[in-house]
Amino acid sequence: MRPAQTNTLKNKSPITVALAPVVVAYLQLGYHADVTASTEFDAPDRNAERLLSRAVHDATSEATGEFAWDERAAAAAAVRDHLRPRLDALRSSRVESGTVYQVAYNRTAAAAWRDANCPGGPNRQFGACESDGGVVVQERAGGTHVLAVAFDVRVTTDDTEQALTLVLRTR
């Protein structure tokens, strides 16, 4: 009597057999970790933009609709007050690792954004827009609606210095 012989390929799933060439190619070509996911990669400008974008969203959602149009200066001040702790956290976030963030409101960029994005004339859908200390607001149904916040961000690392102007729209 002969011992039972099995064909090892018949016992393997088709997926395993199909993946074999992929594994061989992977081993032949070598593997390089995703540069943007490794610890050496540093994108402090994008980190600042992400943090500020979330902070602006949180701050403006609390202020929008809470102030009458004649209280628009108070609405803009409330947004800046709400942003203050997040800006302070960004400024001190990576100092120990050699990254310094400087953040300031950009009044000029806010005014330019207002001029480009708030239509004038009799056919506009909402009321007037104003910028106040880097915060763009618009009159909607007698209330103050926050549209955008403009920042100047300077990021200094051991290797580079970047200057950004960000105008972050609310959603």
Side-chain angles (χ1 to χ4, degrees), residues 91-108:
R91 289 178 183 122
S92 63
S93 65
R94 308 234 8 241
V95 172
E96 72 282 346
S97 66
T99 301
V100 177
Y101 293 95
Q102 297 171 318
V103 184
Y105 291 97
N106 186 320
R107 297 167 195 260
T108 306

Side-chain angles (χ1 to χ4, degrees), residues 100-163:
V100 177
Y101 293 95
Q102 297 171 318
V103 184
Y105 291 97
N106 186 320
R107 297 167 195 260
T108 306
W113 188 92
R114 176 201 64 214
D115 293 344
N117 291 281
C118 291
N123 295 328
R124 68 176 174 231
Q125 193 173 17
F126 299 110
C129 288
E130 290 188 14
S131 58
D132 183 320
V135 179
V136 180
V137 295
Q138 184 176 41
E139 186 272 322
R140 292 189 180 179
T144 300
H145 185 85
V146 183
L147 298 179
V149 182
F151 298 99
D152 279 330
V153 180
R154 181 173 300 281
V155 183
T156 306
T157 67
D158 293 334
D159 302 330
T160 63
E161 185 172 312
Q162 297 172 310

Side-chain angles (χ1 to χ4, degrees), residues 56-57 59-61 64 113 136 145-149 168-171:
V56 164
H57 173 75
T60 58
S61 64
T64 294
W113 188 92
V136 180
H145 185 85
V146 183
L147 298 179
V149 182
L168 301 170
R169 296 180 58 179
T170 62
R171 304 243 187 264

